Amino acid sequence: MNILGISAYYHDSAAALIRDGEIVAAAQEERFTRKKNDHRFPSHALEYVVREGGLGSVNDADFLVFYDKPLLKFERLLSTYVGFAPSGIRSFIKAIPLWLKEKLHMPREMRQLTGYEGKILFAQHHESHAASAFYPSPFEEAAIICFDGVGEWATTTVWTGRGDRIELLKEIDFPHSLGLLYAAFTYYTGFKVNSGEYKVMGLAPYGRPLYADLIRKHLIEIRDDGSFRMDMRYFNYSQGLTMTSGRFHRLFGGPPRQPESLLTQRDLDLAASIQDVCEEVMLRIARNTAAETKMRNLCLAGGVALNCVGNGRILRERLFDDIWIQPAAGDAGGAVGSALAVWHHYLGNKRVTQPLDSQKGSYLGPSYSMPEIEAYLRSQAAPYSVVPDSDLIPRVAEMLAAGKIVGWFAGRMEFGPRALGARSILGDARSPEMQKRMNLKIKFRESFRPFAPAVLAESVQEWFDLDRPSPYMLLVADVRKDRQIAMTEEQKTLFGIEKLNVARSGIPAVTHVDYSARIQTVHSETNPRFHALLSAFRDRTECAVVVNTSFNVRGEPIVCSPDDAYRCFMATDIDVLVLENALLLKEEQPGREEKREFELD
């Protein structure tokens, strides 16, 4: 039985195909349209998953399921506008025509866009999140927490999962939202909402949580069980076109930071403060959930579950024996979750767990054959050589060890926001210059942004204080003490971005200013080729760690096709490009593309 899942119209739209309970394919629309966080109906992604699954057309699917319930969301929208009237009229005028034209008529809209003639179903938003977290996990039973911005009404939910069933225990409803509270500070510190939250998380270690008590006193009341209420006088997202109100600005001493303006110590301290409060809420809810459910495993989803620092904090508290986080934790993952909810809940099918998980390393996107790649390279008159893996992998490992930056394009594209060794840019983690070089010359982004380490799964404890897999780059842990470099007394007096250039370990390119790292463990079972590359690098350097960042430039989605990869290679200072077994060296290429401009992220 084939079930197609769709998420769309809010942000990060995606499509997925589930066959007899197995995830066959999943992809975000942005990868095909090249518009980051594309919210439009995922026509290209749907076409891909249908093709990947060997279906003749969308009508070969038994069900088409949408990841939330538009009528419930419309009810929330109307109730909110009525509650805040006459305030919010500008937002109302902007939103309602779109609802009346498209979103209230979703079945009709979906049939028109897809030509689908079969049965269309709708899951609730947080049901889709919870299903995406539990069903692919390796656990027979688990507690499930979904931290989100907002679905229909729910913003945070707690569930239990047993076998093939998930059950809702409690929820927090709009407008009280941990995700929207964090987004308010994203907006206030000058970053793009629904995109720049990870920048705030990355900035937090440079600052001090000086405003955390002010946030707790005025913005959010946090109860012992982690439930919370927000003072909506400080916010404008319920009724307006901005996140924060004048009262918010007066509380924190001024208007929002202008995007791209100079970051001040105050901005860093605000980032540290909201991260501190976010972690407190996550931790209290997790602690209460563990106590109430008595379950030993935890699954996480929702956009806030991409806060890997908060995830790492929950892990370190040992509230649960193990944690599994949906790699596409945001709205994109709802496409997978809604389809799995139909398979298990609606149809009552049994679930079979896998030892690692059934997400297949999240390598669920398109791949390209060597004939396709060579045809493209010939069309570009691009010099290249075809090298078998037995020669290619040791050669690339040698280049990495020599300080070269490598664009690595191999196998099926990742589903979710992280590059996991299929569409990655790689570098030597031992280099003290690598972080700055990659940020400024490759990614064209802010210098403070940290990079993640990819480490052989069997070697993770040799380098980091982590005793379990982290295949999806969603857990933060410290570099081991014996790998750290202690700061001098003079270095301890540095503030803010001044801390950036202080080497803190033998792998400085992936060690953040607080000695932490966002870790990806690389497993031979899910990505044998990437595992072989790291093994060859370790054999040459005695270091099982490389820098792994997404294959894109700032504001651009991760590359999908050979064309995307080659153009990115030619517009940046990437030294080497690997397209499956095609090896390209920058110095041999004709000319250079101009740096492309994308929307700010």
Side-chain angles (χ1 to χ4, degrees):
M1 178 173 287
N2 295 296
I3 303 170
L4 291 167
I6 299 289
S7 69
Y9 293 129
Y10 301 101
H11 52 86
D12 204 19
S13 68
L17 172 63
I18 307 299
R19 175 175 296 140
D20 297 336
E22 178 189 357
I23 308 173
V24 173
Q28 293 128 283
E29 183 71 358
E30 65 165 19
R31 306 296 169 83
F32 304 94
T33 63
R34 311 311 300 155
K35 180 178 174 60
K36 190 163 186 177
N37 297 324
D38 198 339
H39 69 282
R40 294 170 295 181
F41 190 84
S43 300
H44 300 83
L46 182 61
E47 180 184 351
Y48 155 68
V49 300
V50 167
R51 183 176 67 251
E52 183 70 32
L55 304 183
S57 76
V58 68
N59 280 303
D60 288 336
D62 298 277
F63 296 95
L64 187 65
V65 55
F66 194 70
Y67 83 127
D68 71 2
K69 297 196 171 183
L71 286 176
L72 275 179
K73 188 163 282 189
F74 188 63
E75 174 194 280
R76 187 253 298 169
L77 210 65
L78 285 181
S79 297
T80 301
Y81 283 132
V82 169
F84 281 93
S87 176
I89 188 65
R90 288 176 60 210
S91 177
F92 179 83
I93 290 171
K94 185 176 180 180
I96 291 304
L98 186 61
W99 275 90
L100 295 178
K101 180 183 177 184
E102 294 177 351
K103 297 179 182 178
L104 276 181
H105 310 284
M106 194 67 73
R108 182 191 69 193
E109 187 78 8
M110 291 174 74
R111 291 196 193 281
Q112 288 177 348
L113 289 168
T114 65
Y116 186 66
E117 299 170 356
K119 190 162 188 176
I120 296 177
L121 300 172
F122 294 84
Q124 287 203 27
H125 188 98
H126 272 245
E127 178 188 16
S128 297
H129 276 318
S132 79
F134 177 63
Y135 290 129
S137 80
F139 309 135
E140 287 292 340
E141 62 176 39
I144 310 161
I145 305 175
C146 303
F147 298 108
D148 202 7
V150 60
E152 295 89 359
W153 279 100
T155 68
T156 300
T157 53
V158 177
W159 308 68
T160 56
R162 292 182 176 89
D164 57 351
R165 308 297 295 173
I166 57 174
E167 180 181 355
L168 177 65
L169 296 185
K170 57 177 67 175
E171 69 179 65
I172 298 170
D173 286 343
F174 184 85
H176 310 287
S177 166
L178 184 60
L180 292 175
L181 174 66
Y182 206 96
F185 280 86
T186 301
Y187 167 81
Y188 188 65
T189 51
F191 301 115
K192 190 174 180 180
V193 172
N194 292 329
S195 176
E197 282 77 7
Y198 58 94
K199 295 187 186 184
V200 176
M201 182 181 69
L203 269 182
Y206 293 101
R208 303 154 296 178
L210 301 182
Y211 299 98
D213 287 342
L214 202 62
I215 295 170
R216 294 184 185 98
K217 181 178 179 181
H218 293 279
L219 302 189
I220 182 169
E221 174 197 356
I222 309 170
R223 296 160 185 159
D224 289 343
D225 64 356
S227 61
F228 54 87
R229 300 281 293 179
M230 292 161 57
D231 187 338
M232 297 311 299
R233 295 176 300 172
Y234 291 92
F235 303 94
N236 195 42
Y237 59 75
S238 292
Q239 73 276 24
L241 299 175
T242 61
M243 295 301 297
T244 53
S245 69
R247 184 185 290 262
F248 186 109
H249 307 160
R250 290 189 293 275
L251 180 65
F252 293 104
R257 169 181 166 262
Q258 288 298 308
E260 304 304 299
S261 63
L262 185 69
L263 282 164
T264 66
Q265 185 63 47
R266 173 173 163 273
D267 300 316
L268 310 184
D269 294 340
L270 284 165
S273 301
I274 188 56
Q275 180 64 31
D276 185 77
V277 171
C278 179
E279 289 177 31
E280 179 183 348
V281 174
M282 293 176 73
L283 198 58
R284 287 195 186 193
I285 291 177
R287 186 179 293 118
N288 182 258
T289 299
E292 287 195 357
T293 65
K294 310 298 182 188
M295 288 190 166
R296 300 311 311 150
N297 298 307
L298 175 65
C299 296
L300 295 174
V304 181
L306 294 171
N307 192 307
C308 48
V309 179
N311 299 342
R313 182 90 180 272
I314 293 171
L315 180 64
R316 288 195 301 277
E317 291 287 323
R318 303 291 178 182
L319 301 172
F320 297 89
D321 294 339
D322 208 353
I323 296 177
W324 194 86
I325 306 149
Q326 167 55 238
D331 276 9
V336 168
S338 60
L340 287 171
V342 168
W343 176 251
H344 293 294
H345 259 246
Y346 184 76
L347 297 174
N349 289 297
K350 296 298 180 185
R351 171 171 169 260
V352 178
T353 59
Q354 302 293 331
L356 281 175
D357 59 44
S358 58
Q359 188 86 10
K360 301 180 179 178
S362 219
Y363 304 111
L364 300 168
S367 62
Y368 294 82
S369 67
M370 279 304 297
E372 289 174 307
I373 290 168
E374 290 195 74
Y376 169 74
L377 292 175
R378 287 193 296 270
S379 75
Q380 301 299 305
Y384 70 96
S385 55
V386 176
V387 186
D389 272 8
S390 57
D391 296 326
L392 178 71
I393 285 175
R395 187 171 172 186
V396 173
E398 190 174 323
M399 291 173 171
L400 286 168
K404 301 289 187 184
I405 295 175
V406 176
W408 182 258
F409 182 105
R412 294 181 67 179
M413 181 181 69
E414 302 91 341
F415 179 54
R418 311 294 186 215
L420 302 170
R423 304 290 187 273
S424 290
I425 299 173
L426 308 176
D428 188 348
R430 303 169 302 159
S431 167
E433 300 299 320
M434 189 60 66
Q435 181 193 16
K436 183 182 293 186
R437 184 181 164 204
M438 287 180 113
N439 268 329
L440 299 180
K441 298 293 186 180
I442 308 294
K443 306 286 279 189
F444 305 119
R445 68 186 195 181
E446 304 94 337
S447 61
F448 69 80
R449 303 268 289 274
F451 286 109
V455 57
L456 290 170
E458 60 270 29
S459 301
V460 64
Q461 292 186 71
E462 298 173 21
W463 295 90
F464 304 101
D465 286 333
L466 186 67
D467 61 355
R468 66 199 64 222
S470 177
Y472 303 120
M473 213 180 278
L474 286 170
L475 291 172
V476 163
D478 286 346
V479 175
R480 274 178 54 132
K481 286 284 186 186
D482 59 351
R483 300 280 186 181
Q484 294 180 10
I485 299 173
M487 295 178 70
T488 65
E489 291 304 315
E490 182 180 358
Q491 289 169 343
K492 289 178 183 177
T493 65
L494 297 175
F495 278 105
I497 302 299
E498 294 175 335
K499 301 175 181 179
L500 179 64
N501 295 322
V502 178
R504 282 172 165 71
S505 77
I507 43 173
V510 295
T511 305
H512 207 7
V513 294
D514 58 354
Y515 292 100
S516 68
R518 176 165 49 94
I519 298 162
Q520 179 201 359
T521 52
V522 179
H523 302 257
S524 59
E525 299 91 335
T526 52
N527 196 333
R529 200 159 182 247
F530 192 37
H531 187 275
L533 177 61
L534 265 66
S535 297
F537 183 78
R538 177 202 56 197
D539 292 344
R540 275 158 182 72
T541 64
E542 298 185 349
C543 178
V545 184
V546 299
V547 180
N548 178 14
T549 189
S550 55
F551 200 155
N552 63 330
V553 298
R554 181 186 180 189
E556 176 192 30
I558 295 173
V559 303
C560 176
S561 68
D563 177 57
D564 302 332
Y566 183 72
R567 294 181 66 209
C568 186
F569 169 59
M570 293 299 291
T572 65
D573 283 352
I574 295 174
D575 300 302
V576 179
L577 175 61
V578 176
L579 296 172
E580 295 298 348
N581 287 92
L583 180 66
L584 293 86
L585 306 179
K586 178 61 68 62
E587 64 264 24
E588 295 178 354
Q589 303 306 307
R592 179 186 174 106
E593 279 200 13
E594 292 298 315
K595 179 171 102 58
R596 290 166 288 159
E597 294 296 328
F598 292 91
E599 290 184 20
L600 296 179
D601 59 348

